[in-house]
Amino acid sequence: MSLIRYESQVRPPLVDNNKDYHQVTEDIVRPIEANPSRLWWIGFLISVALLLFGVYSIYREVTYGVGQWNLNKTIGWGWDITNFVWWVGIGHAGTLISAILLLFRQGWRTGVNRAAEAMTIFAVMCAGQFPIWHMGRVWMAFFVLPYGNTRGPLWVNFNSPLLWDVFAISTYFTVSLLFWYSGLLPDLATVRDRAKLKWRKYMYGLLSFGWTGSTKHWQRHESLSLVLAGMSTPLVLSVHTVVSFDFATSVVPGWHTTIFPPYFVAGAIFSGFAMVQTLLLISRKVLSLEDYITIEHIEVMNKVIVLTGSIVGVAYLTELFISWYGQNPNEGWAFAQNRLNIFSPYGWSYWLMMGCNVISPQIFWFRKLRRNLVVTFFMSVIVNIGMWFERFVIIVTSIYRDYLPSSWSTYYSPSIWEIGFYLGTFGLFFTCYFLFSKFFPVIAVAEIKHILKRSGDNYKKGMHQIEKESADHLYHEIHSDHH
């Protein structure tokens, strides 16, 4: 008897419908080898159309200046920085799933980690657009990099959190890309070996870097995964912390808050998991992957959403309490008048944020709702709307009424080109995601096979017999195998 690694019967299977190794490969690689479906083409063309609208919006802004956006002397940061923080947050779940859950040996991550890691990379690409194009004179963007130069020499301001952002996000993007690509190597080799057409064999052969699946390759792959997971784990916490410093290190009432770093990190994981749910619920339907992205995966992610949503709720209440307890009239005004007062110009956005982020996720305390796909999809969209409004509330409601009533802003609403830029980043994100789902396996084939013998439903049925055996009997069986 060759004893497989034991897993309790209480844990539900992570792979359904009696799969063996060959079926796993067939199910996950078949969508890559088949022609794209009509649904894929519709989604892809809509994404490209949005992307082109975004490119035109950026062309307008670069040609005619930042005046194309409805920013003014009071509100210097509007939709662009709101969207930047929102996109960085979206990218966080991927690294959490791939790095932290790998270190904690969580088996359920295998069904969702590949798509979540790809989502991280695409979201960071979208986020990076906003600060770059907001510069106005974008051809001088390289000035943000600290390098020896003949301009005096003119150095960047190392005390500025905006520079810390440059370092944090470029590091985050590089490590996430390496992590995602190194995980793809065994699967790209599988696609290469199955390829019938010469160009596909050549393309996937190049991309898989000559992977043969030898013991040495697997050994290096495992150790590289652990090293990258170790590097990514602090990045999950540090990147959004640095983004929060953009606000927390200022002296603007409403921004000058020490709770921002943990609160931003929790919010980032919250919105990231919601976006993973949105994408995976669509992917499992379109690509027929219900046996690999099971109801169990959906439920576990909903538990993370209710946890992080509650942490964010505590942070909101803490902010309100401290603004009252600190007795600073400017801070008190920023919270009590600009936000809490529903009749103030932006009061509606604060209460919309509260409803979407704090109140609505509480329905996931009920098991039936956590396992309902329609409710989950609807809630994942609601959460991301709420998280967008959180960033909007922090940025706009803190600055539209400052110390001088004479410079109080008229009502800020975005121009068509600001909205176009935002929609364009959606176009970029989904264009990349559709291409990824067509040319790469959306689920990590090698990792699913790794857990199949202990978490596949047909193998778990065999555990019943093992559970009935006495410890002494199992001990003799194992040792007789070894001899």
Side-chain angles (χ1 to χ4, degrees):
M1 165 188 161
S2 59
L3 192 68
I4 53 183
R5 180 174 160 185
Y6 175 73
E7 184 177 276
S8 167
Q9 283 297 307
V10 177
R11 288 183 181 274
L14 295 172
V15 182
D16 288 341
N17 282 342
N18 297 334
K19 303 290 182 191
D20 59 25
Y21 287 151
H22 177 65
Q23 282 171 301
V24 170
T25 309
E26 280 291 323
D27 291 346
I28 298 172
V29 178
R30 197 184 304 115
I32 301 171
E33 295 169 341
N35 289 327
S37 63
R38 178 183 287 181
L39 271 176
W40 186 91
W41 275 113
I42 292 168
F44 180 67
L45 292 172
I46 291 170
S47 304
V48 171
L50 280 175
L51 177 57
L52 292 173
F53 181 43
V55 169
Y56 181 69
S57 301
I58 292 170
Y59 160 76
R60 294 277 308 197
E61 186 264 334
V62 172
T63 309
Y64 300 107
V66 182
Q68 290 289 296
W69 297 346
N70 278 350
L71 302 175
N72 52 52
K73 65 176 181 178
T74 317
I75 299 179
W77 281 2
W79 263 47
D80 52 330
I81 303 296
T82 302
N83 298 335
F84 160 69
V85 180
W86 186 76
W87 275 119
V88 174
I90 293 286
H92 263 56
T95 322
L96 180 103
I97 289 171
S98 53
I100 296 179
L101 299 183
L102 172 70
L103 296 177
F104 282 107
R105 295 278 184 251
Q106 292 294 305
W108 65 269
R109 62 179 278 283
T110 51
V112 298
N113 68 335
R114 175 66 52 72
E117 286 168 29
M119 193 190 83
T120 295
I121 292 158
F122 306 148
V124 174
M125 282 163 56
C126 292
Q129 304 302 313
F130 290 97
I132 290 170
W133 299 107
H134 189 197
M135 288 175 188
R137 295 193 179 110
V138 73
W139 48 92
M140 293 184 178
F142 63 91
F143 278 25
V144 301
L145 303 172
Y147 66 97
N149 59 71
T150 55
R151 297 191 297 274
L154 180 68
W155 287 94
V156 290
N157 179 7
F158 285 101
N159 291 328
S160 168
L162 300 177
L163 181 69
W164 309 341
D165 265 353
V166 173
F167 295 141
I169 286 164
S170 53
T171 309
Y172 187 52
F173 179 73
T174 310
V175 174
S176 299
L177 188 66
L178 285 172
F179 206 166
W180 173 71
Y181 197 80
S182 62
L184 268 170
L185 289 175
D187 295 356
L188 291 173
T190 303
V191 181
R192 173 200 67 198
D193 295 342
R194 289 168 55 97
K196 304 278 193 296
L197 300 170
K198 199 170 181 181
W199 70 268
R200 286 180 75 93
K201 218 172 186 60
Y202 180 72
M203 183 180 87
Y204 287 107
L206 277 179
L207 291 173
S208 60
F209 290 167
W211 176 277
T212 59
S214 67
T215 311
K216 197 71 186 165
H217 284 183
W218 278 112
Q219 196 180 355
R220 286 178 178 153
H221 182 263
E222 292 283 323
S223 49
L224 176 66
S225 297
L226 284 174
V227 168
L228 287 172
M231 287 169 67
S232 301
T233 302
L235 278 175
V236 175
L237 305 172
S238 68
V239 172
H240 228 58
T241 298
V242 170
V243 170
S244 77
F245 286 164
D246 291 354
F247 310 105
T249 55
S250 72
V251 289
V252 176
W255 289 0
H256 189 62
T257 318
T258 48
I259 199 177
F260 268 12
Y263 149 33
F264 268 54
V265 171
I269 294 165
F270 181 50
S271 61
F273 267 87
M275 194 62 146
V276 171
Q277 294 279 48
T278 308
L279 288 181
L280 286 179
L281 286 170
I282 295 169
S283 298
R284 82 194 280 273
K285 187 77 188 148
V286 173
L287 302 173
S288 307
L289 296 171
E290 287 89 350
D291 295 335
Y292 303 97
I293 303 168
T294 64
I295 300 292
E296 294 309 319
H297 290 92
I298 306 295
E299 185 184 6
V300 171
M301 288 197 284
N302 282 336
K303 287 176 182 174
V304 176
I305 285 174
V306 77
L307 169 70
T308 48
S310 304
I311 294 171
V312 167
V314 170
Y316 293 162
L317 297 176
T318 308
E319 272 192 319
L320 291 177
F321 171 73
I322 295 296
S323 71
W324 165 79
Y325 187 70
Q327 293 295 298
N328 180 323
N330 302 311
E331 195 86 16
W333 168 270
F335 283 92
Q337 289 304 318
N338 290 354
R339 297 183 189 180
L340 267 181
N341 179 3
I342 198 165
F343 300 110
S344 69
Y346 290 108
W348 60 272
S349 61
Y350 183 80
W351 289 103
L352 183 67
M353 168 193 91
M354 275 290 198
C356 292
N357 292 350
V358 183
I359 297 162
S360 64
Q362 303 307 322
I363 66 167
F364 285 145
W365 288 105
F366 301 101
R367 186 169 188 267
K368 203 167 186 177
L369 294 174
R370 278 201 306 269
R371 297 172 74 87
N372 183 315
L373 298 181
V374 177
V375 170
T376 299
F377 185 77
F378 177 71
M379 278 304 306
S380 69
V381 174
I382 289 291
V383 163
N384 265 321
I385 291 171
M387 284 310 292
W388 187 91
F389 272 101
E390 181 206 283
R391 278 58 181 253
F392 180 80
V393 164
I394 288 170
I395 290 163
V396 176
T397 64
S398 300
I399 56 176
Y400 83 106
R401 288 176 165 179
D402 61 10
Y403 297 105
L404 287 174
S406 61
S407 68
W408 280 9
S409 172
T410 50
Y411 193 79
Y412 164 75
S413 53
S415 72
I416 182 70
W417 309 122
E418 280 176 276
I419 297 168
F421 188 6
Y422 183 44
L423 293 177
T425 53
F426 270 104
L428 174 64
F429 182 83
F430 284 106
T431 301
C432 290
Y433 190 78
F434 278 116
L435 289 171
F436 157 72
S437 67
K438 178 67 199 83
F439 293 105
F440 298 110
V442 173
I443 292 176
V445 181
E447 297 202 26
I448 289 286
K449 289 178 180 176
H450 185 66
I451 62 155
L452 187 66
K453 289 265 175 124
R454 68 172 190 273
S455 299
D457 61 347
N458 50 334
Y459 293 99
K460 284 187 78 75
K461 285 167 192 161
M463 299 276 182
H464 278 301
Q465 198 57 40
I466 297 171
E467 282 190 340
K468 291 173 188 164
E469 303 284 2
S470 69
D472 288 341
H473 178 76
L474 286 176
Y475 177 81
H476 289 305
E477 290 261 359
I478 294 164
H479 282 268
S480 65
D481 268 5
H482 288 175
H483 297 310

